[in-house]
Structure formats: structure tokens, C-alpha cells
Amino acid sequence: MDATDGPRVVQLGLGDAPACLLLSTEAHWNQSEEDWRFFLREGVVLGIRDGSQLVATAALLPYSDDNAWISMVLVTTSHHRRGLATRLVDACLQTARKRGLTSWLDATPAGAAVYGPLGFSPTLQLRRLRLETSGQGFAPAPLAAPLDALCARDRRAAGFDRTALLSAFAQRPGSRIVSTNGAIALIRDGRTARHIGPLFANDATGALALVDAITRSESGPILLDAVASHDAFLAGLTKAGWTIERPFQRMRLGLAPAASAELPFAVAGPEFG
Ligand SMILES: CC(C)(COP(=O)(O)OP(=O)(O)OC[C@H]1O[C@@H](n2cnc3c(N)ncnc32)[C@H](O)[C@@H]1OP(=O)(O)O)[C@@H](O)C(=O)NCCC(=O)NCCS
């Protein structure tokens, strides 16, 4: 992966997790060091250093059926607009091409400006929502649901298997898988806020009821990445006090999978898809 021109791209290891976390924290992202360790353990995380300082990252996370997620594209502010993100995403794409993988990502508006020229095409739109003042955590939690049920539903929606990811989430302290009336969701800790997702439901009413039950049993800020085409879900969330923080554009480079059997109401997160 050595470059003959431009800065050297290196593959990062588990020991780089604290330096990676500094970059996502600088961007005010919610990832924890545990999230970074998952990428470093299960995926390929590429970085660029300036001297001993890690100044840029990008991760490629392979899933089943020749799919992979590209994320954690971060460049420290002092090194913006020097082509570092382009270089790292290009290196991820070379790795994906060698392995015959279709690459997916959920782009911030700034990220979409980098990925469009690299050949990514837009697919669905997401909205990051935040609830600042949820319940006091006094209400009983919705019924616990099994990991298998969540993984099966996730596979139907994604078109590929993410058992390794969902199992890793489920094993973390503070994680819960809960279900009511045919809706099911996972809640996990983040650096500054809890995160709901993925969330599957038969309709918007069921999805909203589950989110409501979760938030009543939680305290502190909560994030959720909703699929924007679920209009009634988005409208219900904003009515309940959630605010839209930013859009994400899902993009794909490579072969389209078969149409999915269902769309999630909320995804696992833009960094995981
Ligand atoms: C988005 C980000 C990764 C870009 O990193 P970068 O190294 O500055 O990007 P590059 O230098 O490779 O930019 C390539 C091109 O993308 C476009 N671009 C990059 N940042 C842009 C921005 N903020 N607004 C508009 N266009 C932008 C430009 O066309 C740029 O080419 P140019 O500098 O010749 O005009 C960086 O701004 C960042 O870390 N932002 C915070 C985290 C984030 O949003 N990451 C993306 C997640 S999807």
C-alpha cells in the first residue's frame, strides 16, 4: 500500500484505537473506542500520519455476499482539502475491487462531495435525529427479544448477513434488544449518546410505539438514523420532540443486490449501514 507519490497510506491496528477516537471525537461523532476496535478487528482501517500524529482514516468493513461498508472517513481539520480523504477512499476501493466487493457508504454532505467523483451513486436517504430530553428512565423497558430474531430481520432488509456486528453490539454492557407488536430494535451506548438501531417494524405506528417505549425507559440523549422515505415515522418522531440533525446519503459502488424484502425504519448507524 506504499505510495510512490503523495502521503503514505498505512493499515492501522488495534493499538491505534485511541488515536482513531481522537479523530471521530474532533468531528463530534458518537463512536466509542469499542466501535473503533470492532473496525480494527473485523475490517481494514487505513490511515495517514503526519510525523507520529494520525491525521486521516477510512475503514472498509466486509459483510457477507460480497458486500462491504466504507466509513470512518475522517481528516483532521488542519489537513482538509489536501486530497487525503480521496486517497484513503481510493485505497479502500482498491481493496474492495481486489476482493470483488460491492462498496456501500452513508455520506455526510461533505463526504458526498468526495465520493461522487469516485463513482458512487446515491441510493436511499437517511436522517439523523436526536432526542435531548428523553424520559427519566423510570418506565419499564420493553420486552427483551432474542438476537436471532434481530439478525434474521436485518438480513431480510440488508440482503446480507451482519450477525458478527449485531452480536458484538449485543454483548456490550448497556446494549438491549427489545420488541413490541412485531417491531424490534437494538439500543447501544455511544460516546456521548445512546443509539437506537437497527429498528424494524411492520408499519410506522409500530415503529413509533417501540421508540416511545424505549425512550420512556431511557435517560439522557438518544440518536436514531431514520430511513427518510418513512414519512409518517419521521413526522411522528419530530412531533414527539426529536430534532433532525443532518441528512446522510446512502451510496453504492458496484453491483446492485436483489431488492430487499423490507426497509428498516432506522439503520444500525451511518458507519455500519
Ligand atoms: C469530508 C472530509 C473527510 C473530506 O476530507 P478531505 O481530505 O478534506 O477531502 P479531499 O481533500 O479528498 O477532497 C476531495 C474533494 O471533495 C470535495 N470536498 C471535500 N470537502 C468538501 C467540503 N467540506 N465541501 C465541499 N466539497 C468538499 C472537493 O471537491 C474536494 O476537491 P478540491 O479540494 O480539489 O476542491 C473531511 O472534511 C472531514 O473529515 N469532515 C468531517 C467528517 C466527515 O464528514 N466525513 C465524511 C463522512 S461520510
Side-chain angles (χ1 to χ4, degrees):
M1 233 164 272
D2 282 11
T4 48
D5 53 348
R8 186 163 170 252
V9 172
V10 292
Q11 182 162 354
L12 304 179
L14 275 174
D16 292 301
C20 291
L21 183 65
L22 285 179
L23 285 177
S24 52
T25 301
E26 179 190 326
H28 306 288
W29 286 6
N30 194 41
Q31 285 80 22
S32 61
E33 196 170 316
E34 194 48 49
D35 288 320
W36 275 109
R37 280 199 290 269
F38 183 83
F39 283 110
L40 290 157
R41 218 175 32 238
E42 304 287 332
V44 178
V45 183
L46 303 177
I48 293 173
R49 300 187 207 276
D50 185 352
S52 61
Q53 187 198 354
L54 182 67
V55 295
T57 56
L60 178 79
L61 185 60
Y63 289 136
S64 76
D65 300 271
D66 297 332
N67 289 281
W69 218 265
I70 292 179
S71 65
M72 310 314 286
V73 181
L74 289 155
V75 179
T76 195
T77 312
S78 57
H79 287 62
H80 279 183
R81 305 304 279 266
R82 300 187 193 176
L84 300 193
T86 303
R87 184 162 179 73
L88 284 169
V89 175
D90 233 355
C92 285
L93 289 175
Q94 277 178 35
T95 306
R97 263 194 296 272
K98 274 188 210 146
R99 298 188 188 182
L101 305 175
T102 291
S103 299
W104 299 81
L105 52 81
D106 290 334
T108 59
V114 176
Y115 310 130
L118 290 172
F120 280 87
S121 340
T123 64
L124 54 81
Q125 292 251 353
L126 304 170
R127 298 284 181 269
R128 159 63 55 93
L129 291 110
R130 184 181 182 95
L131 185 68
E132 210 45 67
T133 51
S134 58
Q136 296 303 303
F138 297 142
L143 282 184
L147 175 64
D148 288 2
L150 183 76
C151 291
R153 202 88 184 251
D154 188 70
R155 186 173 182 123
R156 266 165 57 86
F160 42 86
D161 185 71
R162 301 197 299 175
T163 300
L165 174 71
L166 299 177
S167 309
F169 283 163
Q171 281 162 21
R172 293 183 190 173
S175 291
R176 298 193 279 150
I177 299 172
V178 292
S179 174
T180 53
N181 299 325
I184 187 166
L186 186 143
I187 308 116
R188 66 181 193 273
D189 282 345
R191 185 179 61 85
T192 61
R194 299 268 284 161
H195 194 286
I196 300 176
L199 185 155
F200 305 98
N202 299 331
D203 52 32
T205 308
L208 287 167
L210 182 54
V211 170
D212 183 56
I214 292 169
T215 56
R216 282 173 194 279
S217 66
E218 292 276 336
S219 56
I222 310 182
L223 301 176
L224 179 157
D225 297 301
V227 171
S229 56
H230 287 304
D231 301 335
F233 181 53
L234 271 182
L237 290 174
T238 48
K239 197 169 164 216
W242 290 77
T243 52
I244 296 179
E245 283 199 323
R246 68 171 83 100
F248 287 104
Q249 175 67 61
R250 182 158 293 184
M251 305 177 93
R252 189 189 69 237
L253 183 65
L255 293 176
S260 58
E262 73 170 296
L263 267 185
F265 278 79
V267 301
E271 69 277 48
F272 296 109

